[in-house]
Amino acid sequence: MSVLVDESTRLCVAGVTGREGSFHTLNNRRYGTNVVGGVTPGKGGQDVEGIPVFDSWEQAAAEVQPNTAMIFVPPRFAADSILEAAAAGVELVIAITEGIPAHDELRVYNTLQRDFPGTRLIGPNCPGILSPGKANVGIIPASFFKPGNVGVVSRSGTLTYQIGNEIARAGFGCSSIVGIGGDPVPGSSFVDVLELFEADEETELVVLSGEIGGSAEEEAAEHIAEHMSKPVVAYIAGFTAPAGKQMGHAGAIVSGSSGTAAAKAEALEAKGVRVGRTPTEAASIAVEVLGGASVGSA
Amino acid sequence: MDLLEYQGKELFARHGLRVSSGKAVTDVDAAVAAAGEVGYPVVVKAQVLIGGRGKAGGVKLAADEAEVREHAQSILGMDIKGHTVHTVWIEHASDIASEYYASILLDRAAKKPLVMFSVEGGVDIEEVAERTPEKLIRRHVDPLAGLSREQAVQIARDGGADADVVEGVADALVALYDVWLSEDATLTEINPLIVTPDREVRALDAKVSLDGNALYRHPENQSLSDSANEDPLERRAKEEGVQYVKLDGDIGILGNGAGLVMSTLDVVAQAGGRPANFLDAGGGSNADTIRGAVELILANDAVKAVLFNIFGGITRGDEVAEGLIAAFGQLDERGKSTPFVVRLDGTNDVEGRRLLAEAALPNVYSAATMNEAAEKVVALASGRAAGAGVSA
């Protein structure tokens, strides 16, 4: 098994006719993901290398029944596109777009909670989700990862590849890699994804990669202590980040004395989660913990 | 994007929140003229993006022209915790009966706006929250409905506002929420929110953070950043659309991806080095992007060595290497004499490292892992040799 995306994924992409959107959509299809359509208002009836394009999510839902949406449209159109996909009944929306205003993210999150509780949002400002050997939705370079039993959940893209690659070089594979994104109001939190990995039979260990800003790692620590039977290994970036400075990601900012990397690492360690001081150390702790288990190179 | 007090007050006034009349000025004569306009006594307030201005001597009461002159002279140019004062705000001094506190912020954990109110204003609110948490009222607002007047009245009452100013406090809260919402703010804070002896409720200070991602909706706010106080390199980076944060060390850092760059800073610090900056080059691998980034890093005179930490994903290692080689060819003397450590990993990393080795660039050293790269660059910055694996 795996979480969120697999062979049953039917993907439809908002922004499929754009340069980035088409590049990554075709990459995802080449990997084996079942791409059933795209949405670009005003371009309905066209196709992108055989992928039919629709004017609206409503039309796409009626014609090709997507169960997964990927959002690649510019920031100013992204919030409405996410909500239209949800209104059309799509259960999983993965928003890659970076730079969406925080107030739009608040509106989207709270509207989904109130009107479309059946839709799960991953991102925005995330690299997507990869279930090795099954499906890739987003921009994660699939070549580093093979199928296996490590679940990865992260706020950062390249850091995920860094840690995942080190685990792969040690001979281990991944069940799924889930990027939850670097924005202040993500649609899904560490806790949401940890719940999925706990329930996934294939996942034996979870690597959590966090960073400065907010309190998602602290909430994850509480959740792990209460609800996780599987081992979790963590890495936190941003120990040297000065307060009040946004470090690339909109959500990566230490506000006053809250949201520091040290506080997050302490919160996790206080609940028995081992935290690597470098990405390499986090990967080697994961490998060490997995050492005794049967390793998936299936 | 944080606003100076006077910029925040201008936004407040636009949304119907009461503020004292005042004027922002940048020299002593203008301060004297402004004081004459707003009427004595006046307060001379340093405009910097840092707390503790009062304690640092950046806020002074002036009863007459001589005092305005004296205080403006001493405050303009003053250094407050590393922030130079370029502007002072001259405001008519207020009579104060009570000092309250009010703020709206984006509560990331609850994913809702949070209204906070206290009658214990005028002091550090984090202390109030710690010492007497019952005196800091915290109420979430449904962002789809907004802050209703009824809820604002309730917050003022629950917080213990004097009965005769409950309506005035509620007005202020509703206006503050309006600023927060319609200006795409992530924080609007008033400390203190004062009650005057004639029972008027007014903002005596303003702290506002605007969402940089929403500035396209607010062209009128785009000029509000504190360009005089902002680090010149950070300002240049912003203009060039590069994610750059200046730090106080001597090792320049460039990487792709915000998380990886943050992690690189940490690993360099663990190796005993001090990073000079954060720079996320994103997915850009072409020579122009890299040359621009290198120029920005080297514009900081403190930089003695530079670490490139690239993990190739969709971007291929050989493309990155070609970009680097082209960029290095265009560097000036300072650039050519500065040691660079390049760590290339990920897609086509072997090919990328081979290209770099073949180019045999002077002063460019290659590393296969982050930890090895950090150790090398720390050694080079301190004038030691980089050890084995040197390509030139």
Side-chain angles (χ1 to χ4, degrees):
Chain A
M1 272 174 39
S2 49
V3 305
L4 298 169
V5 302
D6 57 23
E7 300 91 338
S8 69
T9 294
R10 294 176 61 81
L11 179 66
C12 187
V13 182
V16 68
T17 51
R19 194 169 54 90
E20 297 268 304
S22 61
F23 176 80
H24 291 290
T25 301
L26 295 170
N27 241 350
N28 289 170
R29 186 173 71 172
R30 224 169 282 126
Y31 189 72
T33 311
N34 183 13
V35 182
V36 296
V39 174
T40 301
K43 295 197 175 171
Q46 301 182 9
D47 76 294
V48 174
E49 303 207 10
I51 300 168
V53 179
F54 302 95
D55 281 320
S56 69
W57 277 102
E58 199 184 344
Q59 266 179 17
E63 298 287 333
V64 293
Q65 298 85 42
N67 60 9
T68 304
M70 175 159 73
I71 308 296
F72 247 112
V73 298
R76 64 181 73 197
F77 308 116
D80 288 337
S81 188
I82 293 167
L83 291 176
E84 279 168 30
V90 180
E91 297 148 29
L92 175 64
V93 181
I94 299 164
I96 310 297
T97 308
E98 177 175 7
I100 300 176
H103 282 243
D104 288 9
E105 294 181 357
L106 268 184
R107 175 167 63 88
V108 165
Y109 182 88
N110 285 278
T111 304
L112 290 178
Q113 293 277 308
R114 187 188 67 185
D115 300 337
F116 310 109
T119 295
R120 181 192 296 273
L121 172 65
I122 299 282
N125 191 10
C126 82
I129 307 172
L130 166 66
S131 294
K134 295 169 184 162
N136 189 11
V137 178
I139 62 175
I140 297 175
S143 57
F144 301 132
F145 303 98
K146 56 180 184 169
N149 51 14
V150 178
V152 180
V153 58
S154 174
R155 282 170 67 188
S156 149
T158 36
L159 202 46
T160 309
Y161 318 153
Q162 166 74 39
I163 296 172
N165 195 35
E166 296 199 45
I167 292 172
R169 279 176 184 163
F172 294 87
C174 290
S175 51
S176 294
I177 296 103
V178 183
I180 57 172
D183 275 358
V185 192
S188 295
S189 64
F190 282 127
V191 170
D192 296 322
V193 180
L194 287 170
E195 278 175 355
L196 296 173
F197 280 131
E198 175 71 10
D200 176 45
E201 281 171 22
E202 194 180 351
T203 304
E204 290 186 17
L205 173 143
V206 182
V207 174
L208 179 156
S209 172
E211 63 191 34
I212 55 165
S215 57
E217 291 79 3
E218 287 87 338
E219 288 146 29
E222 293 290 333
H223 177 85
I224 290 163
E226 297 285 316
H227 304 288
M228 291 287 291
S229 67
K230 299 175 183 179
V232 179
V233 175
Y235 175 72
I236 306 291
F239 280 85
T240 41
K245 292 280 190 183
Q246 188 177 303
M247 305 298 271
H249 287 154
I253 182 165
V254 173
S255 312
S257 57
S258 76
T260 65
K264 291 171 186 298
E266 275 168 34
L268 286 158
E269 283 174 341
K271 299 294 180 185
V273 177
R274 292 176 70 185
V275 182
R277 293 294 138 187
T278 63
T280 304
E281 195 184 288
S284 59
I285 294 171
V287 169
E288 179 198 318
V289 174
L290 284 164
S294 67
V295 302
S297 52
Chain B
M1 187 173 102
D2 298 331
L3 302 191
L4 293 165
E5 173 195 359
Y6 81 91
Q7 297 170 329
K9 282 183 170 172
E10 282 168 9
L11 278 192
F12 284 0
R14 239 192 268 161
H15 292 267
L17 197 60
R18 288 209 173 107
V19 295
S20 300
S21 56
K23 213 168 172 189
V25 296
T26 56
D27 66 68
V28 175
D29 288 336
V32 171
E37 277 176 46
V38 300
Y40 289 98
V42 298
V43 185
V44 183
K45 302 180 85 175
Q47 299 296 293
V48 281
L49 297 175
I50 189 93
R53 288 176 297 170
K55 276 184 198 157
V59 180
K60 295 275 191 208
L61 187 66
D64 54 34
E65 190 179 320
E67 285 187 8
V68 169
R69 197 166 283 284
E70 181 194 333
H71 295 321
Q73 196 119 43
S74 72
I75 293 172
L76 281 165
M78 179 185 271
D79 179 279
I80 300 179
K81 299 178 193 168
H83 294 244
T84 307
V85 181
H86 297 286
T87 303
V88 288
W89 171 246
I90 308 291
E91 176 175 286
H92 181 67
S94 300
D95 291 323
I96 300 170
S98 310
E99 292 184 290
Y100 295 169
Y101 168 92
S103 68
I104 321 273
L105 58 88
L106 193 172
D107 183 343
R108 291 172 59 168
K111 300 182 174 72
K112 285 185 172 16
L114 175 67
V115 180
M116 295 202 283
F117 174 71
S118 176
V119 294
E120 303 276 305
V123 294
D124 183 352
I125 202 64
E126 288 197 10
E127 275 177 33
V128 175
E130 200 157 297
R131 251 191 6 258
T132 49
E134 70 283 1
K135 290 196 169 158
L136 181 64
I137 295 293
R138 300 160 57 94
R139 295 276 191 279
H140 284 112
V141 175
D142 175 357
L144 304 179
L147 177 65
S148 69
R149 211 188 136 71
E150 294 69 36
Q151 195 181 3
V153 167
Q154 197 60 47
I155 290 168
R157 279 212 185 101
D158 292 351
D162 291 343
D164 64 336
V165 293
V166 161
E167 294 291 324
V169 168
D171 285 342
L173 290 175
V174 168
L176 194 62
Y177 188 85
D178 187 41
V179 176
W180 187 84
L181 181 71
S182 46
E183 301 289 347
D184 270 298
T186 50
L187 170 73
T188 53
E189 182 183 59
I190 310 172
N191 191 18
L193 177 69
I194 60 162
V195 181
T196 63
D198 52 2
R199 314 312 283 167
E200 189 194 14
V201 177
R202 204 193 294 160
L204 205 62
D205 198 359
K207 194 171 169 190
V208 176
S209 296
L210 300 179
D211 179 4
N213 283 341
L215 277 179
Y216 72 85
R217 292 201 276 240
H218 308 281
E220 72 286 3
N221 288 346
Q222 254 155 21
S223 61
L224 288 183
S225 66
D226 177 24
S227 54
N229 274 306
E230 199 173 31
D231 182 89
L233 287 178
E234 291 186 1
R235 190 165 68 241
R236 176 173 149 191
K238 204 185 283 175
E239 284 161 8
E240 291 174 13
V242 178
Q243 306 265 27
Y244 174 92
V245 177
K246 184 156 177 290
L247 303 169
D248 55 10
D250 56 9
I251 297 175
I253 308 279
L254 178 149
N256 61 332
L260 185 65
V261 181
M262 268 187 270
S263 174
T264 308
L265 303 181
D266 293 349
V267 172
V268 165
Q270 284 164 12
R274 291 166 53 242
N277 66 274
F278 167 103
L279 195 157
D280 176 8
S285 63
N286 64 54
D288 280 348
T289 308
I290 291 171
R291 194 188 65 227
V294 170
E295 281 174 0
L296 195 59
I297 289 170
L298 293 178
N300 175 0
D301 291 333
V303 171
K304 289 192 208 141
V306 179
L307 170 56
F308 272 44
N309 188 13
I310 304 287
F311 193 95
I314 303 292
T315 312
R316 303 196 324 254
D318 52 336
E319 289 172 336
V320 175
E322 280 165 6
L324 285 173
I325 293 162
F328 282 129
Q330 297 163 2
L331 289 183
D332 62 9
E333 282 312 305
R334 163 115 199 278
K336 286 190 169 122
S337 63
T338 306
F340 284 77
V341 176
V342 179
R343 178 263 184 162
L344 261 182
D345 202 345
T347 310
N348 290 7
D349 57 341
V350 175
E351 174 67 5
R353 285 199 294 272
R354 189 185 60 78
L355 286 173
L356 274 179
E358 278 177 11
L361 302 161
N363 275 325
V364 175
Y365 306 82
S366 163
T369 70
M370 249 171 102
N371 295 355
E372 180 196 336
E375 276 158 26
K376 271 188 185 172
V377 81
V378 169
L380 286 162
S382 63
R384 285 178 279 134
V390 172
S391 70

